[in-house]
Amino acid sequence: MKRILILAYTDLKMDPRPYRQIKSLGNDFEVHSAGTSKAGIEYQFHLIKKRSFINELINLPMLKFGFYDSFYWDKAKNRFCLEMKNISFDLVIAHEIRLVPLAIKIAGSAPVILDAHEYSPLNFDDDPFWRFFYKDYYIFLCSKFIPKVQQMITVSKGIVQEYKKNFLVEPVLVTNACEFKDLKPNPVGSKIKLLHHGIVSSSRSLEIMLDMMDFLNSDFELYLMLVFRDSTRFHWKRLVKKASKNPRIIFLKPVPREILVEYSNQFDVGLAFFPPNNFNLKFALPNKFFEYIQSRLMVLVGPDYEMSPLVRKYQFGVVSKEWTAESMAKSLSRLDKDEINRLKTNANVAALELNSEKQMEVLKKVVEGLI
């Protein structure tokens, strides 16, 4: 049986994209994984440690002086290469450009697939700190290592086009669609329950959702299920403080990823509203969008490039005219409960098409074409 390594700098049980790949490819291949924590479904797991936050800060000046290789090859990566030297792979999938140099070294003569996720040279281009220290580094990684991989996949049409334009490659589109779930729409109850789940990030302008509640009547309740890191804890506290003024904004304790879709079925409207504060948000087609569909929710999006065409095509939601709280509220206020129920029923139809089973077939064809 052919052996594949899936390499990601994440907790693989919590990160849906590599987790889906491990699960799907594991039916036909011996799938090994490497990350900060195992998925629990791989053939064998290999731990790779990230450098500490303090160590990262200490080494940042290297990036300003162009010592990219010295910055990249820290003790953890070198140790990982030594640990893996006696295992041969038929193919390696590297999640994000930052792991491609490591993947190439481990793969030897085997092909490497870059799962770029988003557009790395503009990852957090709205953040002055990221632009100052990291932007040139990520451009360097893309320029040097994209030509060395045998295939590349990414998550949305706009991001595919940007890589084609700037790096002369032909990425394959594999969206973040999640697994099909055999659920039915839950009829709207006495309140219209709005849901947003995801990470806390200043780039995502989550405050707009809180402000939206000032324009909605008492029929609406907003539920937020947010995950934050140490670096975003302060921003999360600001959101909680701001929301405390409105009793119709409720914060939920995050549930395990494997039950998120089923848990969310009790709500009515999924909010996937991301003002285009950076390039990747402009062309976002995120996990949560597809999770809302599988939860059989009506979906509210902004006037974006990737989600709104699907909302209009399958008619399972509404598109706000502007990137404002008032515009969001107007889009919702026009709907009565019967219309929301109708849109949720349309999500039931869209769920049959917009699921990971179809996307994993695309990935399998890429893998089989290389090995």
Side-chain angles (χ1 to χ4, degrees):
M1 183 178 284
K2 298 290 186 179
R3 184 182 293 155
I4 292 175
L5 174 65
I6 295 177
L7 183 62
Y9 253 153
T10 56
D11 178 342
L12 297 170
K13 190 173 184 178
M14 297 301 296
D15 192 344
R17 192 167 174 90
Y19 185 93
R20 284 192 294 267
Q21 294 174 5
I22 295 166
K23 185 175 182 180
S24 178
L25 296 175
N27 295 325
D28 302 300
F29 304 97
E30 181 186 299
V31 177
H32 292 233
S33 73
T36 59
S37 186
K38 64 183 178 180
I41 56 174
E42 58 274 274
Y43 179 84
Q44 188 174 348
F45 171 71
H46 308 274
L47 176 67
I48 178 169
K49 294 182 178 180
K50 295 172 71 173
R51 59 160 55 102
S52 69
F53 177 71
I54 297 299
N55 189 262
E56 179 87 359
L57 288 178
I58 291 172
N59 285 280
L60 279 180
M62 289 187 189
L63 297 182
K64 294 309 298 177
F65 290 102
F67 299 138
Y68 297 139
D69 288 336
S70 298
F71 177 83
Y72 187 85
W73 291 105
D74 57 17
K75 289 181 180 179
K77 292 190 187 74
N78 287 317
R79 188 181 304 116
F80 184 74
C81 287
L82 288 174
E83 292 170 355
M84 302 295 286
K85 68 178 182 179
N86 294 322
I87 307 176
S88 62
F89 296 99
D90 298 287
L91 181 138
V92 177
I93 300 175
H95 281 259
E96 301 182 68
I97 189 66
R98 59 183 176 163
L99 279 173
V100 169
L102 183 61
I104 290 172
K105 192 167 185 178
I106 292 170
S109 60
V112 174
I113 296 173
L114 164 59
D115 187 340
H117 291 229
E118 298 177 332
Y119 188 67
S120 297
L122 296 174
N123 259 343
F124 302 102
D125 210 38
D126 56 313
D127 182 344
F129 181 86
W130 188 89
R131 289 199 307 271
F132 183 78
F133 283 106
Y134 287 102
K135 184 172 183 175
D136 289 344
Y137 172 58
Y138 274 93
I139 292 172
F140 161 79
L141 289 176
C142 288
S143 299
K144 182 174 180 179
F145 291 102
I146 286 177
K148 297 183 179 183
V149 302
Q150 281 64 50
Q151 189 53 272
M152 181 175 176
I153 64 176
T154 188
V155 300
S156 75
K157 291 179 181 178
I159 295 173
V160 166
Q161 292 303 317
E162 196 69 10
Y163 276 117
K164 287 176 69 173
K165 182 178 73 174
N166 294 316
F167 296 98
L168 306 179
V169 289
E170 294 284 341
V172 175
L173 175 63
V174 178
T175 73
N176 276 324
C178 67
E179 291 180 329
F180 174 79
K181 299 292 184 181
D182 189 13
L183 297 172
K184 298 297 180 186
N186 190 31
V188 178
S190 60
K191 299 290 184 180
I192 299 170
K193 296 189 289 185
L194 315 176
L195 173 68
H196 175 84
H197 56 64
I199 65 169
V200 173
S201 168
S202 58
S203 297
R204 296 189 176 189
S205 301
L206 299 179
E207 295 84 355
I208 295 176
M209 296 183 193
L210 306 185
D211 293 336
M212 171 193 67
M213 295 303 292
D214 293 335
F215 299 100
L216 291 172
N217 63 36
S218 60
D219 289 340
F220 292 87
E221 295 177 341
L222 173 61
Y223 293 82
L224 297 169
M225 186 189 299
L226 302 178
V227 178
F228 58 89
R229 300 184 292 270
D230 287 343
S231 59
T232 56
R233 183 185 297 272
F234 178 73
H235 189 65
W236 176 78
K237 287 183 176 179
R238 285 174 55 194
L239 292 171
V240 172
K241 183 177 180 180
K242 181 179 177 67
S244 65
K245 301 173 184 177
N246 192 326
R248 292 184 292 117
I249 301 176
I250 300 100
F251 282 81
L252 301 170
K253 184 179 179 180
V255 301
R257 186 191 59 78
E258 54 267 33
I259 66 167
L260 177 61
V261 169
E262 290 87 349
Y263 177 85
S264 301
N265 180 248
Q266 64 184 290
F267 299 93
D268 302 307
V269 182
L271 304 178
F273 189 89
F274 303 115
N277 295 327
N278 60 43
F279 180 88
N280 286 318
L281 287 174
K282 184 177 181 179
F283 294 99
L285 194 55
N287 286 294
K288 66 174 56 56
F289 176 72
F290 297 103
E291 289 161 349
Y292 292 152
I293 296 167
Q294 292 301 328
S295 295
R296 308 313 196 263
L297 305 185
M298 173 207 140
V299 182
L300 170 64
V301 301
D304 76 316
Y305 288 93
E306 302 288 345
M307 292 181 282
S308 59
L310 292 172
V311 169
R312 292 187 174 106
K313 177 181 178 179
Y314 292 95
Q315 297 182 25
F316 56 79
V318 293
V319 180
S320 172
K321 288 186 177 181
E322 299 175 342
W323 294 107
T324 65
E326 188 172 6
S327 183
M328 287 180 77
K330 284 181 179 178
S331 298
L332 290 170
S333 296
R334 295 190 184 104
L335 306 174
D336 58 24
K337 292 181 180 180
D338 288 340
E339 178 65 6
I340 293 174
N341 283 329
R342 186 186 71 80
L343 294 170
K344 293 175 77 172
T345 300
N346 290 347
N348 198 41
V349 177
L352 297 170
E353 290 290 325
L354 304 176
N355 57 64
S356 66
E357 283 77 3
K358 293 183 179 294
Q359 295 302 307
M360 288 302 99
E361 287 302 315
V362 176
L363 177 63
K364 283 181 182 179
K365 287 181 181 178
V366 172
V367 169
E368 289 167 357
L370 290 174
I371 64 174

